[in-house]
Amino acid sequence: MSFREKMLWVSMVAVATIWGSYLFDVASLLARGTVDAGQAYGGFVKSVVLLVGVQVAAAIILAIMAPAEANAPEDARDRDFAATAAVPAYKLLSLLVVVIMLATPAIVAAAPRWLTGDPDTINAVVIGNALLLALVLASLVNAASQLRRYRREG
């Protein structure tokens, strides 16, 4: 398994685990009918720091284990895998952003009715996290698409 493939695995697992945990916590708050902007913001910052830390640590460890491979430039195959994986990820991201944009008026009208707190804060947390979910899903599709190519085509 190449350095880039290993990094994709680390990235995919880290993104799914860390952002999945954060988004589950936000969804749990919403299910209880509350929005705590401070808790959501704190969880977001914690998730970003944790994700960066995990990926940097993984890159360092993997580079120590295979320094020549870690320092090797991308070859044509790596570039091709990344380019083709970007297509379904971009399509998914575009679709989800359009859906969220179309749903925004309904969210703005409905969210303050079923959630307690400042309406502006509620809308910002709900819409912001919906967009984050779209980005996370697109990132996972991108990594999974590249990994599928690495597994199939070596």
Side-chain angles (χ1 to χ4, degrees):
M1 196 177 322
S2 73
F3 175 81
R4 283 180 178 73
E5 186 179 357
K6 290 174 188 172
M7 282 304 301
L8 280 168
W9 278 110
V10 168
S11 178
M12 194 165 82
V13 170
V15 165
T17 303
I18 294 167
W19 285 125
S21 174
Y22 165 77
L23 290 165
F24 179 81
D25 289 346
V26 170
S28 296
L29 285 174
L30 297 176
R32 289 194 301 264
T34 62
V35 172
D36 183 340
Q39 186 176 355
Y41 181 74
F44 177 82
V45 170
K46 182 181 95 179
S47 297
V48 168
V49 170
L50 187 57
L51 187 62
V52 169
V54 166
Q55 292 201 3
V56 167
I60 290 169
I61 291 167
L62 292 172
I64 289 170
M65 292 170 52
E69 199 174 329
N71 290 319
E74 271 188 333
D75 60 19
R77 179 187 71 142
D78 294 325
R79 285 189 297 276
D80 179 52
F81 288 3
T84 57
V87 173
Y90 180 75
K91 286 180 180 179
L92 176 64
L93 180 60
S94 298
L95 173 68
L96 292 175
V97 167
V98 168
V99 168
I100 293 165
M101 288 173 58
L102 293 173
T104 295
I107 293 168
V108 169
R113 292 188 188 135
W114 54 274
L115 298 169
T116 59
D118 174 50
D120 292 336
T121 302
I122 290 168
N123 290 328
V125 169
V126 171
I127 294 168
N129 282 290
L131 290 168
L132 176 62
L133 175 61
L135 187 60
V136 167
L137 292 174
S139 173
L140 292 172
V141 166
N142 185 302
S145 296
Q146 287 183 67
L147 288 169
R148 188 180 72 244
R149 296 269 319 263
Y150 276 110
R151 296 283 86 209
R152 242 195 291 157
E153 299 171 33

